[in-house]
């Protein structure tokens, strides 16, 4: 596919038809910051009480993202750059959070960590969870290992699934279609019968896609398209056994196939198959001042590669997290918990199979002092016992001061860690049983302003992260590198009458230290990211918005040459227009979404860009 063909293909319109049924209206008023309760902290804190840097992507924002995937939604947030977010649907996505590589961001679903034990770095694949099954997303920046253990080095993304249900049989759905023979559909059913509730949804996605490989200059070859197919089920149940005790089982299943090429300029009919099963339960015994919570999760990930570098892997994780909350008076909360994770992976080889395993046990606790005049303070610690490397500890100290109602100062000093993966300890290439955990110390401080009854807002945060014992691959896996990162984030917001404006700017700079060598080039990490969203409620029924994001240039490696050489990936911009018209209040809604995209595409060895325009239009119903 030559460059002109790519530009023409990317310019094809994407037409979306969305059909949504349900008792609740999608359009609803967003809560003010002081009312938002953050569940990810395990203390159910109000956002105004915590010194943590938190962003909540609510149901209103998600309802206006019907044509996007989860990676595209997250890519619009400050400090987050999702590599491959705008490229082919089947292309793997990597979350670069505050300049840290993808392995240092922990993904959770409903407060429970999810990982892919079958993979080399075990990060959860964002392609495996449809955005249509999400109620809201909580993003917490900075090291969170004291609460959630391994991998929570740069931040945590908590995906909260749809669970709400009302009496009667309520049916809802989404249907979309577009270019490259792309279509996606979701249908769901929820209900409440006495003390039993359920919310079950099924999503299907299929696209022919475009070629992941670029045609070499001067070539007239025809490269095949690289498509994707996905089927996903999400089922949540709630059983209120008595007013104090509830049990909430869940089942999540995803089966996906993705086509991919051999490299940036090498076409191939490679494909991969993923199956991900996650079953478990949440149980809560709430006595008012005292609350006990149990989370159990079983995760089974299977992946198989066909074509070049064929292979088959299967990994399982069994996680039990039990914690106790105690309110001590009106100003102090105590949290105590234990966490155990048993992980194994099966390698399927021509000569047979092998199945190594590890276990990570943790005990943690925190004290949360809040609303003490103008002062809030959270202090916590965690003890970890790993079956291979032994013991390690983390801590977190998070104070905040509400100088006046409109001005809040906050900061955090915390440590975090990432345990070596099974592939690093037992894999077929370069395994090392003597690896230690990667360790990080995080510092952040900032202030938050809310003026004129929250009509004007400003959050400014500076951060610094020192990573030691980073695991790198030379002739095998070793603990060697250090990495020093720093940066800042600015997030202004304005709300006047019918107009709302939210913006962000993130600056990042880092350096990597290997022995006596210092390298200030961090691959795929731009120094500058900024963006803004302008919304206008023109009438009671008509809403307009425009979203803009700029991602600065960055360096990547071209491994098609040996030794590899660095190349500069140019900056790119995303512009997204959205229009919504409600024909009958809480009943029928028409909307359109026009996108002007410079689409960054990554492959295994080099990145390149295409440009295009997408137009989405839809119709939604609420009964």
């Amino acid at each position: 596919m030559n460059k002109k063909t790519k530009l023409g293909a990317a310019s094809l319109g994407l037409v979306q038809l969305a059909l949504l049924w349900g008792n609740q209206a999608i359009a609803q008023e967003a809560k003010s910051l002081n009312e938002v309760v953050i569940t990810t902290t395990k203390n159910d804190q109000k956002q105004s009480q915590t010194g943590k840097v938190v962003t909540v992507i609510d149901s209103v924002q998600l309802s206006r993202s019907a044509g996007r995937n989860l990676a595209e939604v997250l890519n619009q947030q400050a400090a987050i750059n999702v590599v491959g977010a705008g490229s082919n649907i089947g292309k793997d996505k990597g979350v670069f959070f505050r300049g840290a590589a993808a392995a240092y961001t922990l993904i959770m679903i409903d407060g429970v960590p999810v990982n892919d034990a079958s993979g080399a770095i075990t990060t959860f694949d964002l392609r495996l969870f449809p955005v249509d099954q999400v109620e809201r997303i909580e993003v917490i920046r900075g090291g969170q290992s004291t609460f959630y253990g391994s991998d929570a080095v740069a931040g945590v993304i908590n995906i909260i699934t749809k669970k709400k249900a009302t009496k009667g049989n309520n049916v809802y759905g989404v249907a979309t279609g577009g270019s490259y023979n792309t279509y996606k559909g979701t249908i769901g059913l929820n209900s409440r019968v006495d003390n039993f509730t359920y919310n079950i949804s099924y999503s299907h996605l299929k696209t022919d896609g475009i070629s992941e490989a670029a045609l070499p200059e001067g070539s007239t070859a025809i490269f095949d398209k690289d498509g994707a197919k996905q089927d996903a089920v999400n089922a949540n149940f709630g059983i209120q056994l008595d007013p104090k005790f509830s049990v909430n089982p869940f089942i999540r299943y995803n089966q996906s196939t993705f086509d991919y090429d051999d490299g940036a300029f090498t076409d191939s009919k490679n494909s991969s198959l993923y199956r991900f099963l996650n079953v478990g339960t949440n149980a809560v015994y709430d006595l008012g001042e005292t609350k006990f919570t149990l989370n159990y999760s079983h995760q089974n990930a299977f992946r198989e590669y066909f074509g070049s570098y064929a292979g088959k892997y299967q990994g399982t994780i069994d996680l039990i997290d039990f914690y106790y909350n105690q309110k001590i008076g009106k100003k102090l909360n105590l949290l105590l918990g234990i966490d155990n994770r048993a992980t194994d992976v099966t390698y399927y080889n021509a000569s047979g199979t092998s199945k190594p395993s590890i276990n990570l046990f943790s005990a943690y606790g925190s004290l949360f002092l809040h609303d003490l005049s103008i002062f809030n303070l959270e202090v916590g610690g965690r003890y970890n016992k790993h079956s291979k490397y032994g013991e390690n500890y983390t801590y977190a100290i998070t104070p905040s001061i509400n100088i006046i109602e409109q001005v809040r100062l906050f900061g955090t000093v915390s440590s975090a860690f990432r345990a070596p993966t099974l592939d690093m300890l037992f894999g077929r290439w370069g395994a090392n049983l003597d690896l230690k955990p990667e360790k990080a110390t995080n510092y952040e401080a900032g202030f938050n302003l809310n003026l004129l009854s929250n009509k004007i807002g400003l959050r400014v945060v500076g951060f610094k992260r020192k990573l030691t014992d980073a695991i790198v691959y030379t002739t095998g896996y070793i603990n060697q590198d250090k990495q020093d990162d720093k940066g800042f984030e600015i997030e202004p917001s304005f709300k006047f009458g019918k107009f709302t404006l939210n913006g962000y700017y993130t600056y990042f700079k880092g350096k990597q230290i290997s022995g006596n060598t210092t390298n200030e080039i961090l691959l795929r990490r731009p120094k500058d990211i900024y963006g803004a969203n302008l919304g206008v409620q023109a009438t009671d029924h008509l809403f307009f918005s425009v979203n803009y994001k700029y991602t600065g240039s960055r360096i990547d490696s071209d491994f098609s040459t040996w030794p590899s050489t660095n190349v500069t990936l140019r900056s790119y911009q995303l512009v997204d227009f959205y229009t919504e018209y409600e024909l009958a209040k809480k009943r029928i809604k028409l909307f359109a979404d026009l996108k002007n995209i410079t689409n960054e595409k990554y492959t295994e060895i080099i990145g390149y860009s295409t440009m295009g325009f997408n137009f989405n239009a839809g119709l939604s119903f609420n009964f």
Side-chain angles (χ1 to χ4, degrees):
M1 180 181 292
N2 60 34
K3 188 172 182 179
K4 290 183 178 179
T5 304
K6 289 187 296 180
L7 290 172
S11 299
L12 293 177
L14 177 63
V15 180
Q16 170 178 285
L17 174 62
L19 305 174
L20 297 167
W21 294 277
N23 278 355
Q24 293 186 335
I26 290 177
Q28 56 182 285
E29 293 297 325
K31 295 181 179 180
S32 67
L33 288 179
N34 290 337
E35 295 176 325
V36 175
V37 175
I38 308 303
T39 62
T40 310
T41 61
K42 294 188 175 181
N43 270 316
D44 292 348
Q45 300 165 332
K46 292 181 181 179
Q47 191 163 1
S48 60
Q49 294 174 327
T50 180
K52 299 179 186 296
V53 182
V54 182
T55 298
V56 178
I57 307 171
D58 61 20
S59 57
V60 175
Q61 293 170 277
L62 290 171
S63 72
R64 292 169 178 166
S65 302
R68 301 188 182 101
N69 55 48
L70 191 56
E72 290 173 318
V73 172
L74 292 172
N75 197 47
Q76 295 179 346
Q77 307 306 310
I80 295 180
N81 183 39
V82 183
V83 175
S87 64
N88 216 15
I89 292 176
K91 181 62 186 166
D92 54 311
K93 320 297 179 186
V95 179
F96 283 56
F97 204 147
R98 278 186 171 176
Y104 303 111
T105 297
L106 178 65
I107 307 296
M108 301 194 302
I109 300 177
D110 292 332
V112 178
V114 287
N115 296 90
D116 181 356
S118 68
I121 60 175
T122 74
T123 55
F124 180 72
D125 194 332
L126 288 177
R127 295 175 297 178
L128 302 184
F129 206 92
V131 72
D132 306 309
Q133 298 178 354
V134 179
E135 174 66 26
R136 68 174 184 153
I137 303 171
E138 295 176 354
V139 179
I140 300 185
R141 299 167 200 166
Q144 305 297 326
S145 284
T146 294
F147 287 99
Y148 291 105
S150 180
D151 302 352
V153 173
V156 168
I157 297 172
N158 186 24
I159 302 166
I160 299 171
T161 60
K162 292 181 177 179
K163 305 180 188 65
K164 293 180 181 179
T166 57
K167 290 183 179 180
N169 294 316
N170 309 298
V171 180
Y172 59 91
V174 178
T176 67
S179 53
Y180 318 122
N181 290 322
T182 300
Y183 58 85
K184 180 177 71 171
T186 295
I187 187 167
L189 176 68
N190 66 62
S191 182
R192 175 184 294 274
V193 180
D194 297 328
N195 294 324
F196 175 71
T197 63
Y198 64 88
N199 193 320
I200 303 171
S201 62
Y202 164 74
S203 295
H204 175 75
L205 165 70
K206 185 180 184 302
T207 179
D208 289 347
I210 60 175
S211 175
E212 279 295 326
L215 198 65
E217 189 172 350
S219 175
T220 59
I222 298 176
F223 283 5
D224 71 303
K225 296 179 179 180
D226 298 308
K229 181 180 178 181
Q230 182 178 85
D231 294 280
V233 175
N234 182 59
N236 292 290
F237 306 92
I239 307 170
Q240 194 72 41
L241 297 176
D242 66 41
K244 299 175 183 178
F245 185 41
S246 63
V247 179
N248 310 286
F250 62 84
I251 301 172
R252 305 181 188 108
Y253 178 76
N254 184 297
Q255 178 169 306
S256 302
T257 56
F258 304 111
D259 299 332
Y260 63 97
D261 290 316
D262 276 346
F265 304 103
T266 307
D267 186 37
S268 181
K269 293 186 179 299
N270 299 325
S271 66
S272 61
L273 168 66
Y274 287 78
R275 294 194 190 103
F276 181 78
L277 173 66
N278 184 199
V279 298
T281 190
N282 161 265
V284 179
Y285 188 55
D286 192 348
L287 299 172
E289 301 297 309
T290 302
K291 183 168 72 171
F292 298 92
T293 303
L294 171 68
N295 288 315
Y296 168 72
S297 171
H298 171 77
Q299 302 166 36
N300 188 314
F302 173 85
R303 63 174 67 204
E304 185 170 6
Y305 298 95
F306 305 93
S308 304
Y309 309 105
K312 185 164 62 172
Y313 315 89
Q314 184 167 2
T316 65
I317 301 174
D318 286 284
L319 180 148
I320 297 177
D321 184 19
F322 177 75
Y323 57 95
Y324 155 75
N325 294 94
Q326 180 65 54
K327 295 181 181 178
I328 305 173
K330 296 182 179 180
K331 305 291 185 181
L332 185 64
N333 292 9
L334 170 67
L335 169 69
L336 296 173
I338 56 173
D339 176 322
N340 191 78
R341 308 177 193 189
T343 306
D344 65 61
V345 62
T346 302
Y347 297 103
Y348 295 90
N349 306 314
S351 57
T353 62
S354 58
K355 191 175 182 178
S357 62
I358 54 174
N359 193 83
L360 178 60
F361 171 81
S362 303
Y364 59 91
S366 74
L367 282 171
F368 175 44
L369 181 66
H370 57 90
D371 300 319
L372 185 63
S373 182
I374 63 172
F375 188 63
N376 304 295
L377 175 66
E378 187 167 7
V379 179
R382 186 182 189 98
Y383 163 78
N384 304 284
K385 174 69 173 179
H386 193 275
S387 58
K388 293 301 176 184
Y389 68 70
E391 301 174 338
N392 70 298
Y393 306 85
T394 63
Y395 66 88
I397 304 170
T398 305
S400 64
I401 301 173
N402 297 314
I403 297 177
I404 56 176
E405 184 179 354
Q406 295 83 7
V407 182
R408 181 162 57 98
L409 305 179
F410 53 84
T412 296
V413 179
S414 66
S415 61
F417 77 103
R418 178 172 181 257
T421 68
L422 279 163
D423 195 70
M424 296 171 179
L425 294 169
F426 301 99
R428 290 175 286 176
W429 297 282
N432 182 359
L433 284 172
D434 295 325
L435 291 173
K436 299 180 293 183
E438 301 176 89
K439 301 174 184 177
T441 304
N442 292 272
Y443 308 89
E444 61 183 41
F447 64 88
N448 193 84
L449 302 178
N450 283 296
L451 307 174
L452 300 179
S453 300
N454 291 328
K455 291 181 179 178
I456 299 178
L458 176 65
R459 182 165 67 185
V460 178
V461 185
F463 64 88
K464 185 175 183 179
R465 180 175 57 246
K466 299 179 71 68
L467 180 69
T468 60
D469 292 326
I471 298 174
V472 296
Y473 189 93
T474 55
T475 55
Y477 287 107
I478 60 172
N479 291 101
Q480 175 179 307
D481 284 7
K482 299 178 181 180
Q483 187 172 318
D484 294 341
D485 303 325
K486 60 184 177 181
F488 61 87
E489 302 151 6
I490 303 173
E491 296 177 84
S493 62
F494 305 90
K495 185 177 181 180
F496 291 103
K498 299 179 179 180
F499 295 87
T500 59
L501 177 63
N502 298 284
Y504 57 88
Y505 172 76
T506 302
Y507 173 82
F508 167 79
K509 184 177 182 181
K511 61 182 178 181
Q512 193 170 18
I513 304 167
S514 301
N516 296 322
T517 302
T518 299
N519 185 0
E520 295 191 3
I521 297 177
L522 298 179
L523 299 181
R524 297 188 177 183
R525 275 156 272 195
K527 288 186 177 181
D528 302 284
I529 299 176
Y530 55 84
N533 178 271
L534 173 65
V536 182
Q537 191 69 53
T539 69
D540 290 342
H541 304 288
L542 183 61
F543 175 81
F544 297 97
S545 73
V546 57
N547 186 82
Y548 170 81
K549 179 171 183 177
Y550 169 88
T551 301
S553 61
R554 48 259 172 264
I555 303 297
D556 203 352
S557 287
D558 179 1
F559 293 104
S560 63
T561 61
W562 183 257
S564 62
T565 57
N566 289 336
V567 294
T568 299
L569 303 181
R570 61 187 181 185
S571 62
Y572 66 98
Q573 304 172 70
L574 305 175
V575 181
D576 187 345
F577 298 89
Y578 181 91
T579 303
E580 174 182 294
Y581 184 70
E582 197 171 67
L583 294 177
K585 194 69 174 177
K586 297 184 180 179
R587 294 292 178 180
I588 302 173
K589 183 173 63 177
L590 297 170
F591 62 89
D593 187 6
L594 175 64
K595 298 179 182 179
N596 177 9
I597 297 177
T598 301
N599 185 19
E600 198 70 16
K601 289 176 56 57
Y602 289 92
T603 68
E604 297 172 43
I605 53 177
I606 198 170
Y608 59 94
S609 300
T610 62
M611 298 179 63
F613 296 88
N614 293 329
F615 178 73
N616 305 318
L619 173 67
S620 68
F621 296 91
N622 293 278
F623 296 107

